[in-house]
Amino acid sequence: MRLDLHMHTVMSDGEWTPERVVEAALDGGLDVISIADHDTTAGVPAALAAAEGRRLDVIPATELSSTTQDGRELHILGYFVELAAPSLEKHEKRALTLRLDRIRGIVDRLARRGVHVEMKRVLEVAGPRCTTLGRPHLARAMVEEGIVGSVSEAFDRFIGDSHEAFLPTELASPGEAIAVILEAGGVPVWAHPPHDLVEELLPGLVESGLRGIEIYRPRARSGKVAWLERLAADAGLLRSGGSDWHGPDRNPPLGDFHVTADEVSGLLAAGGF
Ligand code: AMP
Ligand code: ZN
Ligand code: FE
Ligand code: FE
């Protein structure tokens, strides 16, 4: 069985619609996928509908943004969440407005540094189905305006986490993000844990109810994978993995990377899958 438990759609900062992602996952030979858009589950129903009657299962998920007291961004995946859960709806609503305000803020900070991007262009790039605006939309607008040559150049030179124009999401603390997922009946999993923070922050997150960490990712070094597997085993945490696929401009085709049922068996069992 081939699984990819982390991908994005146009509902957040992915390039493709949920329907098209489902087709690409089937073409890529995947058996199980998770749509995990930033701070929303809006793409899940469309993906479930597109996969209906096909040889593909869709696990409902989301990837909540959180900010530590030091201003670091941590992403918490929520697997098997109930889509209509009040806690999630409340978080999504906040995310919708606060993410818009935040990108406006970053655009203002760029302007003060002589880099001019129109908010209208950013919203056009995001498109009509986007619910949660993110930096990749801004980066794509900067490419279209000829300010940078690529999305990664936009992050490297202007809007990466360490730049002056950057503003954190400030939607929730990591503990609050975990609570939102737990209240929605989901399984909270730390997405792509930064290697410099994992050992320091893991105990507190586990205390808050974290149940797993994302370990298997494209280009992950085998030494790091083994290290995270040991950390997970020691802390009694579930293991997850996925490509964090955003679209063909940024990632190899869906199916190039997959995890096995064995690698994520505990997580699947936790969701009654
Ligand atoms: P945001 O949620 O608005 O803070 O944006 C975070 C998203 O930006 C991540 O989920 C990635 O999709 C993207 N991203 C972060 N860093 C980079 C980078 N260096 N190059 C390209 N995309 C990035
Ligand atoms: Zn993203
Ligand atoms: Fe992420
Ligand atoms: Fe992601």
Side-chain angles (χ1 to χ4, degrees):
M1 198 157 66
R2 292 166 170 257
L3 308 91
D4 182 345
L5 302 181
H6 189 160
M7 54 190 73
H8 296 265
T9 76
V10 291
M11 302 300 190
S12 65
D13 58 10
E15 293 165 30
W16 280 2
T17 62
E19 295 85 353
R20 197 166 177 193
V21 167
V22 163
E23 294 306 322
L26 280 158
D27 288 345
L30 293 170
D31 303 294
V32 183
I33 62 168
S34 265
I35 304 291
D37 275 311
H38 299 287
D39 303 301
T40 183
T41 53
V44 174
L48 285 168
E52 180 79 41
R54 321 282 293 276
R55 49 158 192 78
L56 182 78
D57 285 307
V58 177
I59 293 175
T62 184
E63 181 179 23
L64 302 190
S65 299
S66 72
T67 309
T68 68
Q69 282 179 338
D70 301 333
R72 292 280 300 253
E73 293 286 291
L74 302 188
H75 290 178
I76 312 289
L77 292 156
Y79 289 109
F80 305 105
V81 285
E82 289 158 27
L83 301 182
S87 70
L88 265 186
E89 279 187 359
K90 196 169 148 216
H91 180 90
E92 286 190 24
K93 239 187 183 152
R94 262 172 65 75
L96 198 129
T97 49
L98 290 182
R99 276 182 164 277
L100 183 62
D101 290 348
R102 165 188 179 241
I103 296 296
R104 280 208 184 96
I106 297 176
V107 163
D108 287 347
R109 290 165 85 99
L110 286 173
R112 270 183 258 137
R113 287 162 182 81
V115 178
H116 298 280
V117 196
E118 278 196 56
M119 199 56 202
K120 189 166 154 276
R121 294 293 306 126
V122 180
L123 295 173
E124 278 166 11
V125 164
R129 289 177 79 180
C130 175
T131 52
T132 50
L133 203 62
R135 281 179 289 162
H137 302 118
L138 172 56
R140 270 144 64 189
M142 291 170 80
V143 173
E144 285 187 12
E145 296 291 301
I147 297 164
V148 287
S150 68
V151 164
S152 52
E153 189 189 337
F155 277 88
D156 291 346
R157 286 181 56 200
F158 298 111
I159 61 172
D161 289 23
S162 57
H163 288 84
E164 283 177 16
F166 171 73
L167 291 170
T169 52
E170 307 273 19
L171 293 175
S173 69
E176 285 165 348
I178 289 168
V180 167
I181 292 162
L182 290 175
E183 280 172 44
V187 180
V189 171
W190 192 359
H192 45 79
H195 292 151
D196 62 323
L197 288 181
V198 65
E199 279 170 306
E200 178 192 337
L201 297 187
L202 198 56
L205 296 179
V206 171
E207 183 92 355
S208 300
L210 187 79
R211 297 205 41 209
I213 53 174
E214 191 180 50
I215 298 178
Y216 310 106
R217 317 183 61 229
R219 296 180 306 280
R221 300 237 191 114
S222 58
K224 296 285 186 201
V225 167
W227 170 62
L228 289 174
E229 284 177 332
R230 262 197 314 280
L231 279 182
D234 291 347
L237 289 168
L238 305 167
R239 294 170 287 146
S240 186
S243 60
D244 203 357
W245 201 84
H246 280 73
D249 287 351
R250 261 175 64 178
N251 304 102
L254 276 174
D256 269 28
F257 171 86
H258 73 273
V259 295
T260 64
D262 201 39
E263 286 167 330
V264 297
S265 57
L267 176 65
L268 296 178
F273 188 82

